[in-house]
Amino acid sequence: MKFKSLCALLTIFILTSCASRQPKIIKKIIRDTVVINKITDKYESVRMANLDKYKISSSHYPAVGQDERVRFLVLHYTALDNDRSLNVLTSQQVSAHYLVPNDFTDSIYILVDETKRSWHAGQSYWKGINNINFSSIGIEIVNDGYYEGEITESNPTGWYFYGYPNMQIKKVAALAKNIIDRYKIDPVNVLAHSDVAPQRKQDPGPKFPWKQLYQDYGIGAWYEDAHKNIYLPKFPYDQIEDFEFIQTVQSDLNKYGYEIQKTGVWDDQTKKVIMAFQYHFRPERCDGVLDAETWAILQSLILKYRN
Ligand SMILES: [Zn+2]
């Protein structure tokens, strides 16, 4: 008996030492001053100076001239499994405020305090604003990304993206909705990493269900089908290679929010922006080519949100 239990203990010891390093969990609660914000009528914690010699008044006098630092919500995929995602996001120079695992638990991890900047978007741009990290909350979603397969006409990159299980999307939706409501984030500022960095990023990819999030939870921006159907027959097929038409399309993409140079040619940077747009709004065909459907969706979005 004794020998048996010793063996069992030894096995457990070996197993735990082989397991990948898990980040340490911080249990200490850091207390800020909690006050009632007289504008919003809600309890809020205030981070403020703590001085030896002087007393900072504990009465709360909120100014009228203030707004939220957070203006954007950016969604990502990790392209790693649960353990590796957690490991990389807590031990390297990349981070996000939240991590949504794809296990069958109801857990979501907070990795960076919402009042702090997490390093998730890198060099980024949306609608005249650079460095989106300064003014955003970033959510990383555990997903394998894509694998490289056959190159076809409708899939010229040969990238085949992985889908998201519904139980994970439900978690993302609940979290996103809560953040959007608290910071009153504009629907057009709920974005994919690929929207704010189209030249170098694809995540969360075309399998991320933006339409479902809009329809079922009121999250983010989406076009009206009625508008799209009005624009569809107006697509100028005979002008598709015209300098002026291409420049107008580039201006329209920029008007909606994307960073793009108005070169008047279907160059590589334009193709990547169109692809990012398709990942978000036209996932059935992500080839970076502006067809009637993509154009009509872009016009419908501008009509609804940018006029
Ligand atoms: Zn990303």
Side-chain angles (χ1 to χ4, degrees), residues 98-153:
Y98 292 97
L99 175 67
V100 181
N102 70 350
D103 55 17
F104 288 90
T105 69
D106 57 4
S107 293
I108 294 170
Y109 305 121
I110 181 157
L111 314 177
V112 176
D113 188 296
E114 282 186 10
T115 59
K116 290 190 174 178
R117 187 158 60 108
S118 79
W119 301 347
H120 61 98
Q123 201 178 357
S124 49
Y125 172 97
W126 190 253
K127 194 71 181 163
I129 295 171
N130 287 305
N131 279 322
I132 302 293
N133 280 350
F134 280 103
S135 48
S136 65
I137 298 252
I139 300 178
E140 283 280 2
I141 308 163
V142 174
N143 173 280
D144 285 338
Y146 64 82
Y147 66 90
E148 292 190 31
E150 197 191 341
I151 291 170
T152 63
E153 202 191 320

